[in-house]
Amino acid sequence: MKLAKRFGVAAAVAATAALALSGCAASAPAVDNKVTIFGGYGEAQAAAFQAELDEFGAANGIEIKFTSLASFDKDIKVKIEAGQAPDIALWPQPGGLKDLVSNLVPLSDVLGADLDTVKSTLVPGWDSLAVVDGKLYGLPVSANMKTLVFYNPEAFAANGYSVPTTDAELTALEEKIKADGAGYPWCAGIESGGATGWAITDWMEQYVLDYNGSDVYAKWIAGEVPFTDPAIVKAADKVSARLLADGQVNGGGVAMATDGFGDTAPLFETGGKAKGQCFMMRQGSFITDFFPDAIKAEVAAGDYTHADVFPLPAPEGANAGVIGGGDLAAAFNADADTAKVLAFILSDKVGAKMAAAGGFISPHKTFDSANYPTAMAKKIGEAMAAAGLFGFDGSDQMPSAVNAEFWKSGTDWVAGKLTWAEAAANIDSKY
């Protein structure tokens, strides 16, 4: 990429944009063929990311060092205050990035015309997560997603069930499971200790995004569209029909409120309703860590006899939205080395080694799905690539008091202790 022509004013851009938290301006870095990156990846992902950086760095004469911070959001602030900011950092939450934009350089100043190229390959929605005062400061390097339904193929086959590809087919499958008396359509616990209720927020976020698109979704997160708004009530009604109607979940909403979100055992039962067998579980890709050991061993060996996944279909006429998270990169300066490395890590060319290490999903529509190491990982990656719209986990972006009330009142709604109108009013009061 032709990046050099933009850097005659790099020093001025960096000096004015890279202000330290203490209020002191950071000096513009010299081009030294070195780039430092801070992030929050775990050990395996950090090693795989470094391997990709080493390969790119060797080909471009740049020494690139990635450092994973134990508590990223806290540690990055400490580094900045100490005058030890990196060239690039990867935030696991867009809110944390936006809080520190006074220290960052807008991506348009770092990448110039190449920014449009980077954005063109992304799943829609990713390019609006880190916009402040009309300027874009961050874009994703890696992603994760929750718009997934896990199921037991052997149980489906035994009952003659097919994987639904539309919301209407999903509804028909739910009704057939109940009519057959084979079990319950959904496994759907939301208990999670002090974080009980987060699982129901994911369901709500999914349908708010699907029905209303990214603009209303963002305004809802910001409190500009209240929980009592008809657009949000429509999503709540959909969640209620899917989970709280008679027979949808074993024990109904009362049981959901006390059943652990990671209780996957009923998904692999074969004894029908008497054993609490359920046929589908909507969760993030991490839920495989909660499978019984024997099932985890099968999946690890590429055996999907008892566990596989399909994307949750969007309602008819709605957006095919994906809910999830990811790591967004931003730059502390605009020098040539930083720009070259940033352009690489924001492109669809990064991720092959990270995918091989497991747990990586590309936010790019054009990422080569052959890089995913297993059939399940490939399905998840392709579901992300095919999404019409991406929405970063909404409750995670809401003010902490709102998020906490969303968990609490959402749980009470599920348990039948509150109507949605009452729960929504409680949540809105925290803005």
Side-chain angles (χ1 to χ4, degrees), residues 146-402:
K146 297 180 178 180
T147 308
L148 301 169
V149 178
F150 291 85
Y151 72 106
N152 182 340
E154 186 172 78
F156 264 49
N159 289 277
Y161 301 151
S162 299
V163 171
T165 59
T166 67
D167 188 69
E169 289 178 359
L170 178 57
T171 299
L173 174 59
E174 292 170 334
E175 294 305 314
K176 183 165 179 53
I177 291 170
K178 291 189 291 185
D180 291 349
Y184 301 90
W186 294 100
C187 321
I190 65 169
E191 189 278 330
S192 185
T196 293
W198 67 259
I200 200 62
T201 71
D202 286 352
W203 276 99
M204 280 295 300
E205 290 155 10
Q206 183 67 60
Y207 289 121
V208 171
L209 181 68
D210 282 358
Y211 280 128
N212 304 291
S214 57
D215 185 51
V216 169
Y217 186 74
K219 290 179 178 178
W220 174 54
I221 291 168
E224 297 170 20
V225 173
F227 278 70
T228 53
D229 189 275
I232 312 306
V233 173
K234 184 176 182 179
D237 288 344
K238 182 67 172 180
V239 174
S240 181
R242 184 119 283 159
L243 298 179
L244 304 182
D246 289 345
Q248 293 291 104
V249 174
N250 186 12
V254 173
M256 275 182 62
T258 58
D259 188 20
F261 78 91
D263 182 12
T264 63
L267 192 62
F268 308 105
E269 280 285 356
T270 57
K273 293 185 74 171
K275 293 289 187 178
Q277 181 178 357
C278 52
F279 283 83
M280 296 176 286
M281 173 177 272
R282 190 223 58 81
Q283 259 300 354
S285 53
F286 60 82
I287 202 64
T288 56
D289 292 338
F290 293 83
F291 285 173
D293 288 343
I295 304 298
K296 283 196 285 189
E298 285 184 0
V299 171
D303 180 353
Y304 304 109
T305 301
H306 297 104
D308 209 340
V309 67
F310 61 88
L312 178 69
E316 275 69 20
N319 304 287
V322 162
I323 296 292
D327 295 88
L328 280 69
F332 285 83
N333 61 68
D335 75 48
D337 292 335
T338 296
K340 186 173 289 188
V341 173
L342 187 64
F344 168 64
I345 67 173
L346 294 180
S347 76
D348 61 357
K349 300 300 185 286
V350 76
K353 290 180 172 60
M354 297 173 77
F360 170 89
I361 300 173
S362 175
H364 295 274
K365 298 176 291 186
T366 50
F367 183 74
D368 186 354
S369 64
N371 289 318
Y372 293 114
T374 67
M376 182 176 285
K378 187 174 182 180
K379 282 186 179 182
I380 294 170
E382 290 179 342
M384 170 65 79
L389 185 64
F390 177 82
F392 202 100
D393 190 300
S395 58
D396 280 356
Q397 298 184 72
M398 293 173 182
S400 58
V402 177

